[in-house]
Amino acid sequence: MTMPGSLLLIIALAGNPAPDTVRASSVKIHEVLGGPAGYIDLHNTGATTIDIGGWSVQSCSGGAMPAELAALPAGSEIAAGDHFLITGQSFGGTVQQLVVDAIVGDGELLLDRRGARVDSIGWAPSSPCRENQAAAACPGFAQARDVLSRDTDNNKADFTCVLPLD
């Protein structure tokens, strides 16, 4: 078989992905602030709406295994370029799409409905949530990616300290 024929066979066997197939770069943890007034801002960097129903956010708290912080309800979606906000119960802002007791831990992990890692941030060197190097700790500030939510898979390079959302 020739090389182009082999490539065609591989493409044919792979098939087309389902419309809501998660791509590693589509949904990002854009910004995080810990505590009861904290939040996790998810950003869809893709060109189509992503169904995030059945996804979960896990919290890393120094242990080897993350614990579930939030299960995203069926029907939850993020439109292309839009955000989804998970907040602590004492969050003072007006936009709250999912409320949890508090944003806890030394990192957060976003998993799709199959349990595959989509994105994560850790700000402790030992956090199992971190990607490569840990993000800098930001006491009193939030940790955020740039406006495009660029992701190099290195939390230290990707996140900076910013003023929290109102």
Side-chain angles (χ1 to χ4, degrees), residues 134-149:
C138 300
F141 291 89
Q143 294 157 314
R145 286 192 160 108
D146 67 13
V147 70
L148 299 176
S149 296

Side-chain angles (χ1 to χ4, degrees), residues 7-152:
L7 182 58
L8 185 56
L9 178 60
I10 291 170
I11 291 170
L13 291 174
N16 291 328
D20 68 344
T21 296
V22 178
R23 290 178 177 79
S25 62
S26 296
V27 178
K28 297 294 171 196
I29 297 173
H30 177 73
E31 189 170 326
V32 177
L33 177 68
Y39 57 87
I40 300 170
D41 176 12
L42 304 178
H43 181 205
N44 178 0
T45 62
T48 61
T49 297
I50 300 293
D51 176 2
I52 58 171
W55 290 25
S56 71
V57 175
Q58 307 283 311
S59 175
C60 294
S61 297
M65 295 298 295
E68 185 168 81
L69 178 68
L72 304 182
S76 298
E77 295 182 332
I78 309 177
D82 211 351
H83 296 259
F84 186 94
L85 197 60
I86 301 165
T87 63
Q89 64 183 355
S90 299
F91 180 75
T94 56
V95 176
Q96 299 180 50
Q97 291 162 303
L98 180 63
V99 179
V100 298
D101 287 339
I103 307 301
V104 297
D106 57 23
E108 311 301 334
L109 174 65
L110 179 63
L111 303 176
D112 68 14
R113 67 182 58 84
R114 296 175 312 252
R117 182 187 289 239
V118 174
D119 194 25
S120 61
I121 175 177
W123 46 90
S126 62
S127 175
C129 284
R130 80 183 190 313
E131 293 178 347
N132 200 337
Q133 295 176 299
C138 300
F141 291 89
Q143 294 157 314
R145 286 192 160 108
D146 67 13
V147 70
L148 299 176
S149 296
R150 285 182 249 252
D151 184 6
T152 66

